[in-house]
Amino acid sequence: MTSYRAVIGLAGHVDHGKTQLIKALTGITTARAHEQAIGMTQDLGFAHFDDGQGNTIGVIDVPGHERYIRNMVAGLWSLDLVLLVIAADEGWMPMTGEHLRLLKAMGVPRLVVCINKCDLVSADELALLEEHLLERVMDESGMVPDIVSVSAKTGANMAALHAAILRQLADLPASHAALEQGAPRCDREEAPPRLYVDRVFTASGTGTVLTGTLQQGSLKVGDKLLLQPAGREVQIRSLQAYHQSVDEISAVCRVAVGLKKVPHKEVARGHCLTRADGQCEVATHLIVRLSEVGDSIRELRSPLHNKEVEVALGSWHGRARFVPIKDTRLARLIFADPIPCFFGQPLAIIRHGSSELLHGARILWCGDIHPARRKALHALLGNLPDDLTDYHPANLELGLNGYVAASRFDALATELPAHLVQLGDWVLERTWLAQRRDELLGSLASEPLSAAELAARLGIAQPVIQVLLLQLKTGQLVRLHHDKWQPGSGESEDDLEEEAQLVLKLVRDQGKEGYEPGKLGPGGVTVDPLLSLPASLRQRLQQKGALQKQLRNLARLKYLVQLEGPIYYDAALYNQMVETVLAGQQVGDLIDMASLKQVTGLSRKYAIPFCLRMEMDGWVRREENDRRVLRMPARAHEVPA
């Protein structure tokens, strides 16, 4: 027995008997009381039936009237099969064509044409209608559908319709239920969960409940997921599938998800439930590839080419600005608010204020891009294959930037191709890497630069710059000094542990006053800058002489210079002040204390310890109140031209 899960839908012109057909197929009435009163489906309805082999098939009833076209599209996005229902006594109607075009635009993979009310026409009329509909559906969609004629009212031929549905679904991958028989879980179930919300309500004792079709992945009570576009973490309180409470459920099926502590008003139709690794993008700008190009595209390239259209994707529906990209099948869609979406996702573009489908489309790029880079991106998008099933968007980022986050690359291959290399959390093209390394070293040869300055100069994301710098540092080509990268080997400040780096910054921030542990201010009040650090770090440094240990170690590594007191100076500042004192002097000259204080800007409190350190380092020798110069730094005795 084959085990699978599926969700199908019924579409077609209003009053062609979709709701009655679902009742005949499932025994469930999907129409609500007010819909039954007016004889018209206004919103999505839900039912299910057993295929006779223990598999449950979900059924979605979509509205047929054009005024409810937005609700209709919300039910199409995740279906495995659609029954296009056509009444035998009326035949093909305007909304029949609109529904057929919409289900093709939304990527529905399977189609059965169901002629309902066959009891109202003769056998000859039915035969002619079947032939006509087969030809029309093939012409307008390119699909070759099964055609089954039934009467939902009398029950005639319902068994044949049941068989046609099962025949179409026979190629679905085995579901999670097959695991009990040793079969592997299919890719669709292994993927991160993806569920677009189509209804939200509050249930007594449960709280906020959302419903939708779980298109891929699995859900389990207690799972923590992301609700997009807000990016809010939510936790599953309860699960129900086809009116049965479950602890875990796998795709594809209709499911009701109870959420813990999530207000009803924070969830709406069109929101998406997924995982952090679900590759769900939240964007206000999309670039799409149009699957139908006709008169409508020429009209929108008129002076009103920024025309407002309506867009349906997943169960989301709303307005966007439509901007065709010249000489391509591409267009930009610009939304007022962020929407959750996925690469390769089908969507429908509908004329604003009507039910007319302008275009079907596929999402190729999520997010805005700098105008200077658009031409390169459009060229990459124009070369994408028609079938995006096996194409991963990480390749686009590689082509555009030369690098991509390794987490985005996981689905591409178990081993990287030879032209790619992984450094840290990034995958890079080898040729791009070699070129950027040369550019980076060239920039540092002219002046020391911070990672942020290098990122801005080279147009590379700062995390990638950090990875490149780390590789160059490992090769002893660069080092970090005073938060600036420079050529050469030696001690690099980024190798220091976090506490040491913070202590070093603490000392540097004190400038010429230096850092005195436990320094007292007026009235004996402690004014130690250590008190400005976060409490957790301050407590660690105050334990068992940890601060003194860090200061002594930084002095040993020549990041700091210890003066009498003890007072700690940044080593670069100390060396700069030594050069300032000795500038213009010669070996043997005498320097008086007043001159030294004037050129350094130090008060007596700091000038004396500074002089003592200069004596210790062999720069000068004390002679009564003066200091005699014993040696000169290399730059100090260079005479300007």
Side-chain angles (χ1 to χ4, degrees):
M1 179 178 69
T2 301
S3 180
Y4 62 89
R5 291 191 181 92
V7 177
I8 69 173
L10 279 74
H13 191 73
V14 65
D15 203 32
H16 277 205
K18 297 186 296 298
T19 303
Q20 189 177 34
L21 189 60
I22 290 176
K23 177 69 181 292
L25 189 64
T26 69
I28 298 171
T29 299
T30 58
R32 301 155 184 85
H34 70 277
E35 292 176 326
Q36 293 181 48
I38 63 174
M40 181 189 299
T41 298
Q42 296 174 307
D43 205 347
L44 303 177
F46 307 100
H48 60 276
F49 68 96
D50 188 284
D51 69 350
Q53 297 181 328
N55 302 306
T56 300
I57 298 173
V59 181
I60 299 179
D61 184 12
V62 304
H65 197 284
E66 64 178 342
R67 101 178 49 148
Y68 304 115
I69 193 74
R70 285 91 192 148
N71 293 341
M72 177 264 179
V73 176
L76 290 179
W77 78 275
S78 59
L79 300 179
D80 295 300
L81 176 148
V82 165
L83 303 184
L84 184 64
V85 181
I86 302 169
D89 59 334
E90 291 190 0
W92 191 275
M93 299 293 284
M95 286 308 298
T96 307
E98 290 296 338
H99 281 204
L100 178 61
R101 287 185 284 276
L102 280 165
L103 66 90
K104 182 185 177 188
M106 296 299 283
V108 176
R110 302 170 185 85
L111 177 67
V112 170
V113 173
C114 178
I115 302 175
N116 191 21
K117 306 183 182 182
C118 67
D119 55 310
L120 301 182
V121 298
S122 67
D124 290 342
E125 289 174 319
L126 191 59
L128 287 173
L129 180 61
E130 288 178 355
E131 184 178 342
H132 168 71
L133 293 179
L134 177 61
E135 183 177 341
R136 185 150 191 178
V137 170
M138 290 174 59
D139 286 346
E140 296 202 15
S141 71
M143 305 171 80
V144 183
D146 285 345
I147 295 185
V148 182
S149 297
V150 303
S151 171
K153 182 178 180 179
T154 67
N157 224 24
M158 288 300 298
L161 177 61
H162 189 274
I165 293 171
L166 300 190
R167 187 165 57 250
Q168 285 275 1
L169 298 179
D171 63 344
L172 284 176
S175 76
H176 185 40
L179 291 176
E180 298 173 1
Q181 305 166 19
R185 180 186 281 246
C186 68
D187 290 343
R188 187 155 66 170
E189 293 185 16
E190 288 286 2
R194 183 181 301 179
L195 183 152
Y196 271 102
V197 177
D198 51 40
R199 276 198 309 160
V200 186
F201 57 91
T202 301
S204 177
T206 301
T208 297
V209 177
L210 60 85
T211 69
T213 300
L214 181 61
Q215 185 201 34
Q216 64 177 44
S218 61
L219 300 175
K220 185 168 59 175
V221 172
D223 278 354
K224 291 183 177 179
L225 302 171
L226 287 180
L227 185 64
Q228 300 288 18
R232 171 175 180 166
E233 184 178 78
V234 297
Q235 187 170 16
I236 297 178
R237 179 197 296 270
S238 63
L239 285 171
Q240 193 175 91
Y242 305 120
H243 308 301
Q244 298 292 321
S245 293
V246 294
D247 292 327
E248 184 176 7
I249 193 70
S250 299
V252 169
C253 70
R254 293 289 306 168
V255 62
V257 183
L259 300 178
K260 285 185 178 180
K261 300 179 181 179
V262 177
H264 174 273
K265 64 182 180 180
E266 294 187 14
V267 189
R269 175 178 286 184
H271 288 183
C272 187
L273 196 63
T274 184
R275 268 198 332 237
D277 62 345
Q279 308 293 350
C280 180
E281 304 283 354
V282 176
T284 56
H285 290 66
L286 300 180
I287 298 180
V288 300
R289 180 170 62 197
L290 305 174
S291 56
E292 298 176 20
V293 180
D295 293 339
S296 55
I297 190 71
R298 285 193 288 272
E299 175 193 335
L300 291 170
R301 280 181 179 155
S302 70
L304 295 176
H305 75 284
N306 279 334
K307 190 169 184 177
E308 190 175 67
V309 296
E310 297 182 31
V311 175
L313 61 87
S315 61
W316 185 90
H317 171 269
R319 299 179 187 180
R321 190 154 51 89
F322 182 92
V323 183
I325 297 171
K326 187 178 180 181
D327 299 326
T328 73
R329 291 171 56 198
L330 307 175
R332 295 172 64 213
L333 293 172
I334 304 168
F335 302 85
D337 298 305
I339 58 170
C341 53
F342 300 85
F343 172 81
Q345 183 176 6
L347 57 81
I349 301 172
I350 303 167
R351 187 182 297 280
H352 179 43
S354 80
S355 62
E356 180 189 355
L357 176 69
L358 295 173
H359 298 287
R362 293 272 176 172
I363 297 175
L364 302 186
W365 185 263
C366 302
D368 201 4
I369 186 168
H370 193 280
R373 308 191 71 197
R374 284 178 183 167
K375 187 174 181 180
L377 175 60
H378 297 164
L380 286 171
L381 299 180
N383 289 325
L384 289 182
D386 287 337
D387 185 359
L388 299 173
T389 305
D390 297 321
Y391 187 87
H392 197 284
N395 284 311
L396 275 177
E397 296 177 54
L398 276 169
L400 187 65
N401 301 320
Y403 56 83
V404 65
S407 59
R408 295 275 284 161
F409 202 84
D410 289 344
L412 286 177
T414 53
E415 293 185 7
L416 292 178
H419 70 285
L420 300 177
V421 61
Q422 182 168 350
L423 295 180
D425 295 331
W426 297 89
V427 171
L428 309 95
E429 290 187 337
R430 291 184 183 275
T431 303
W432 181 92
L433 174 61
Q435 293 172 345
R436 299 297 90 77
R437 278 168 48 105
D438 291 345
E439 290 178 5
L440 195 152
L441 288 172
S443 296
L444 294 180
S446 29
E447 59 177 324
L449 295 167
S450 68
E453 290 168 334
L454 284 166
R457 179 172 294 191
L458 300 180
I460 301 172
Q462 190 166 332
V464 180
I465 283 288
Q466 295 283 15
V467 166
L468 299 183
L469 288 167
L470 180 61
Q471 187 194 44
L472 292 172
K473 189 188 76 171
T474 302
Q476 299 189 347
L477 296 174
V478 298
R479 60 188 286 265
L480 184 66
H481 182 66
H482 259 265
D483 296 325
K484 300 278 188 178
W485 289 91
Q486 54 187 243
S489 58
E491 295 289 344
S492 187
E493 291 173 11
D494 61 324
D495 288 330
L496 297 172
E497 60 187 39
E498 180 190 12
E499 290 181 6
Q501 291 188 42
L502 287 169
V503 170
L504 180 58
K505 183 178 186 305
L506 190 71
V507 174
R508 286 173 171 169
D509 287 346
Q510 308 317 304
K512 291 184 179 180
E513 289 193 5
Y515 175 67
E516 298 177 67
K519 179 180 178 181
L520 299 178
V525 178
T526 301
V527 293
D528 192 338
L530 181 67
L531 298 175
S532 66
L533 295 179
S536 58
L537 176 60
R538 185 173 70 248
Q539 290 168 2
R540 292 205 305 270
L541 290 173
Q542 289 173 333
Q543 290 176 355
K544 299 180 181 179
L547 175 62
Q548 294 294 340
K549 180 180 177 182
Q550 292 289 356
L551 289 167
R552 287 194 298 270
N553 189 53
L554 288 168
R556 180 183 63 81
L557 294 172
K558 302 188 184 308
Y559 288 111
L560 300 181
V561 173
Q562 183 180 348
L563 311 184
E564 188 177 86
I567 302 171
Y568 289 90
Y569 262 47
D570 172 52
L573 176 62
Y574 168 76
N575 291 330
Q576 179 186 353
M577 291 171 63
V578 168
E579 290 187 11
T580 301
V581 169
L582 298 178
Q585 305 291 333
Q586 295 182 3
V587 173
D589 286 352
L590 284 174
I591 304 174
D592 62 79
M593 198 64 173
S595 298
L596 186 144
K597 289 195 292 184
Q598 182 179 3
V599 297
T600 60
L602 296 175
S603 67
R604 181 176 180 82
K605 175 182 177 180
Y606 297 104
I608 291 176
F610 176 75
C611 285
L612 290 174
R613 181 69 202 208
M614 286 187 68
E615 293 171 25
M616 185 188 303
D617 292 339
W619 295 111
V620 296
R621 181 180 67 237
R622 181 173 180 176
E623 295 185 5
E624 297 183 356
N625 291 328
D626 297 329
R627 271 69 179 172
R628 188 173 298 279
V629 177
L630 298 181
R631 63 188 180 95
M632 300 288 292
R635 282 178 287 181
H637 49 144
E638 291 177 359
V639 180

